[in-house]
Amino acid sequence: MTRVVILISGAGSNMAALADSMTGAHPARPVLVVSNRPGAPGLDKAQARGIPTAVVDHTARAGDRAAFEADLTHVLEAAEPDLICFAGFMRILSAGFIERWQGRMLNIHPSLLPKYRGLDTHARALAAGDRWHGCSVHEVTADLDSGPVLGQARLEVRQGDTPESLAARVLRLEHRLYPTVLRRVAEGDRSLVTLG
Ligand code: GRF
């Protein structure tokens, strides 16, 4: 059984979609949900699903990234993950941390990478007048949002779309794309998935 740890910082809707997809013949199961924020609503969603949770509070380390990452590594090592899914996890991690887990980390990013790495992706796509927008699942590497893309889902930007309306539609795509890519990766297939 492929052991999956999911990292969150907020609502955890992607975590819930991933967790809910890992049933029956699916070769993976969620073994832990970790949040860097104690009050993250996603922790409630995980507990409601009977998934063990942990909090590694980055503010408790007063900006000491190395200490935060050491705490996070300790929690991860205890869970013995085969895969680590970043799902709305909003902390930048050092190259040293990434190297420790290289090849086992996936992230969902709300743009059609390599377009719009970083933040405010929906506003940037609107400002550029893009016809197409969407989300990407990629391997996490030391360069932010730059690892190999494993899946993409796209939608047409609509007249009158705002960053908020676009984010809501992209989020629904994320909930389809991420579980699809996770299952393929858990089955040993890292070929590109495209939806929409
Ligand atoms: C998603 O929009 C994802 O693309 C971005 O953060 C959001 C996470 O939402 N990285 P949730 O916590 O999974 O609901």
Side-chain angles (χ1 to χ4, degrees), residues 124 131 193:
R124 290 157 67 190
R131 178 182 176 198
V193 172

Side-chain angles (χ1 to χ4, degrees), residues 8 10-15 87-90 107-110 122 171 174-175:
I8 66 169
S13 70
N14 273 288
M15 176 280 296
F89 186 71
M90 301 307 279
N107 183 44
I108 180 93
H109 180 76
H122 311 299
L171 193 59
E174 293 173 25
H175 296 163

Side-chain angles (χ1 to χ4, degrees), residues 8-57:
I8 66 169
S9 296
S13 70
N14 273 288
M15 176 280 296
L18 291 171
D20 293 347
S21 75
M22 289 184 263
T23 58
H26 194 304
R29 288 294 184 276
V31 296
L32 179 67
V33 170
V34 185
S35 173
N36 64 296
R37 286 184 45 239
L43 291 168
D44 297 334
K45 293 185 178 74
Q47 285 156 10
R49 288 167 169 78
I51 303 168
T53 60
V55 172
V56 181
D57 183 350

Side-chain angles (χ1 to χ4, degrees), residues 154-189:
R154 71 175 195 174
L155 54 70
E156 279 202 83
V157 177
R158 292 175 185 156
Q159 194 66 30
D161 256 327
T162 63
E164 294 70 29
S165 67
L166 205 45
R169 290 199 289 125
V170 169
L171 193 59
R172 284 198 294 278
L173 273 186
E174 293 173 25
H175 296 163
R176 289 177 47 217
L177 178 67
Y178 212 170
T180 303
V181 174
L182 172 61
R183 177 148 193 171
R184 293 270 289 266
V185 170
E187 290 168 343
D189 177 357

